[in-house]
Amino acid sequence: GVGDVVGFSTFDFDSFEDENWSDKDDRSDGIHVNARPKTRHGKMEKSFFNFKTVYPNWKMPASGKNLVSRLDSFREKQDIALARERRLHIEAAAAQLETLRRLEVEKENKAATIGLAGFV
């Protein structure tokens, strides 16, 4: 087979993927089941996405398609979570504004009942 350095350039994520980017648990009690060297800090993954950008018509390997699919799925979940969080913030802000409006009305009503309507 090809050496490890050449193996990295084939973007064979099944053999060389950075475990921090992996969706698999290929470790057992901290010992690597696959003894092949792994990339670190997502270097191969970053190179893959750069290569994919520069050569958009390139036919990527199945493990690369899997990586793209996982990243797209992750991004979609993050977008949904962010939209939900935004909605919750908007609802909380609306509730706060309603509370402030109600307090102002109560303050004005209280002032009116004791004859201080112009002073509030």
Side-chain angles (χ1 to χ4, degrees), residues 86 91 105:
R86 283 185 189 133
E91 289 172 2
V105 168

Side-chain angles (χ1 to χ4, degrees), residues 49-60:
F49 283 107
N50 184 52
F51 191 88
K52 184 178 170 307
T53 300
V54 173
Y55 301 100
N57 296 326
W58 169 64
K59 291 190 179 202
M60 66 186 98

Side-chain angles (χ1 to χ4, degrees), residues 60-71:
M60 66 186 98
S63 62
K65 290 177 184 177
N66 183 27
L67 178 64
V68 170
S69 175
R70 288 190 341 248
L71 185 64

Side-chain angles (χ1 to χ4, degrees), residues 5-6 9 19 21 24-25 31 34 52 60 66 74 77 81 83 85 94 98 103 106 108:
V5 173
V6 174
S9 68
E19 293 167 353
W21 283 61
K24 306 171 232 140
D25 186 16
I31 299 171
N34 182 352
K52 184 178 170 307
M60 66 186 98
N66 183 27
F74 174 79
K77 289 176 186 174
E85 186 174 341
E98 177 58 28
L103 289 172
E106 287 176 10
E108 289 172 3

Side-chain angles (χ1 to χ4, degrees), residues 67-85:
L67 178 64
V68 170
S69 175
R70 288 190 341 248
L71 185 64
D72 288 344
S73 176
F74 174 79
R75 187 177 299 145
E76 182 179 326
K77 289 176 186 174
Q78 291 297 308
D79 289 346
I80 290 168
L82 184 58
R84 182 176 183 271
E85 186 174 341

